[in-house]
């Protein structure tokens, strides 16, 4: 047999439908891409119409200027917020520093008070030891009025009179001084 040429396959009707669907899908994707790249400008009508004109250079420049203006305004607002935040931060840090210094002063006063109390306690212990060695009434807890009352009762029991009480009081006063 002589060599035969290969004939292209004949497309079927279902293949035409698939190609048409694929073409429609590619066109709609292209329209979506164009809207994204052109800033999705819609003027009155619906988005993605196939009869839109290409924007002119003046329109693109105007759109770029508007975008730049909006971006600049957003940045200025952000900078104001940052400046306010820095002021709040500075005030807060100053307040915290003041509070820290106050706490330090209170802590130092507490340490001093504790040291003074410790010294006072030691001094009182020493004074108690010294006074108790001499048996004085101020530290031993003896009540001078109670002691006088007991002595009076002893004298009355022994039969001493009120006249002898005056002489006794003089002797006690002389002995104490």
């Amino acid at each position: 047999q002589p060599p035969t040429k290969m004939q292209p396959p004949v497309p079927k009707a279902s293949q035409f439908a698939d190609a048409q669907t694929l073409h429609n899908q590619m066109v709609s994707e292209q329209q979506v891409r164009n809207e994204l790249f052109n800033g999705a400008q819609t003027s009155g009508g619906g988005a993605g119409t196939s009869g839109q004109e290409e924007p002119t250079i003046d329109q693109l420049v105007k759109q770029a200027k508007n975008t730049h203006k909006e971006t600049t305004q957003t940045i200025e607002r952000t900078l104001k917020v940052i400046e306010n935040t820095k002021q709040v931060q500075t005030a807060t840090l100053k307040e915290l520093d003041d509070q820290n210094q106050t706490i330090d002063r209170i802590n130092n006063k507490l340490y001093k008070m504790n040291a003074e109390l410790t010294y006072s306690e030691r001094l009182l212990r020493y004074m108690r030891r010294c006074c108790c060695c001499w048996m004085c009434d101020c530290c031993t807890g003896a009540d001078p009025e109670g002691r006088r009352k007991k002595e009076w009762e002893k004298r009355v029991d022994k039969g001493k009179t009120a006249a002898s009480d005056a002489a006794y009081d003089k002797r006690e006063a002389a002995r104490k001084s």
Side-chain angles (χ1 to χ4, degrees):
Q1 286 189 359
T4 60
K5 285 187 167 180
M6 290 192 79
Q7 297 289 328
V10 178
K12 297 180 183 173
S14 65
Q15 289 177 338
F16 282 120
D18 289 339
Q20 186 64 33
T21 309
L22 184 60
H23 177 70
N24 289 341
Q25 189 178 13
M26 286 175 44
V27 169
S28 67
E29 287 176 359
Q30 183 64 33
Q31 288 174 349
V32 169
R33 260 188 243 112
N34 288 339
E35 286 179 11
L36 287 173
F37 286 119
N38 292 331
Q41 289 185 347
T42 57
S43 55
T49 58
S50 60
Q52 287 185 350
E53 297 178 5
E54 288 289 318
T56 64
I57 293 177
D58 290 338
Q59 290 174 337
L60 289 174
V61 169
K62 185 177 180 181
Q63 180 183 0
K65 285 183 180 179
N66 285 338
T67 304
H68 178 36
K69 185 178 180 180
E70 291 172 1
T71 305
T72 304
Q73 289 173 349
T74 303
I75 289 172
E76 287 174 354
R77 285 192 305 268
T78 304
L79 288 174
K80 286 180 184 177
V81 168
I82 289 171
E83 187 63 33
N84 288 339
T85 304
K86 285 182 180 179
Q87 289 174 355
V88 168
Q89 174 195 9
T90 303
T92 304
L93 286 175
K94 184 180 182 300
E95 186 67 29
L96 286 173
D97 188 45
D98 291 344
Q99 290 176 359
N100 192 23
Q101 289 175 359
T102 302
I103 289 172
D104 285 344
R105 283 193 305 269
I106 291 171
N107 200 16
N108 289 338
K109 287 180 182 178
L110 285 174
Y111 281 128
K112 287 179 184 177
M113 287 173 58
N114 191 24
E116 289 174 3
L117 284 174
T118 304
Y119 176 75
S120 298
E121 287 173 351
R122 288 180 183 168
L123 187 62
L124 285 174
R125 265 189 263 133
Y126 175 76
M127 291 172 68
R128 280 191 197 120
R129 275 190 241 138
C130 290
C131 289
C132 292
C133 290
W134 297 101
M135 300 292 184
C136 71
D137 293 337
C138 65
C139 296
T140 58
D143 182 20
E145 290 297 318
R147 192 181 81 214
R148 185 177 271 171
K149 207 178 219 183
K150 286 181 184 178
E151 289 176 2
W152 173 259
E153 290 173 0
K154 285 180 187 177
R155 284 186 293 149
V156 169
D157 289 342
K158 291 181 183 176
K160 296 191 175 182
T161 60
S164 64
D165 286 340
Y168 177 79
D169 288 338
K170 285 181 185 178
R171 275 184 281 152
E172 282 294 315
R175 186 176 64 102
K176 285 184 181 180
S177 54

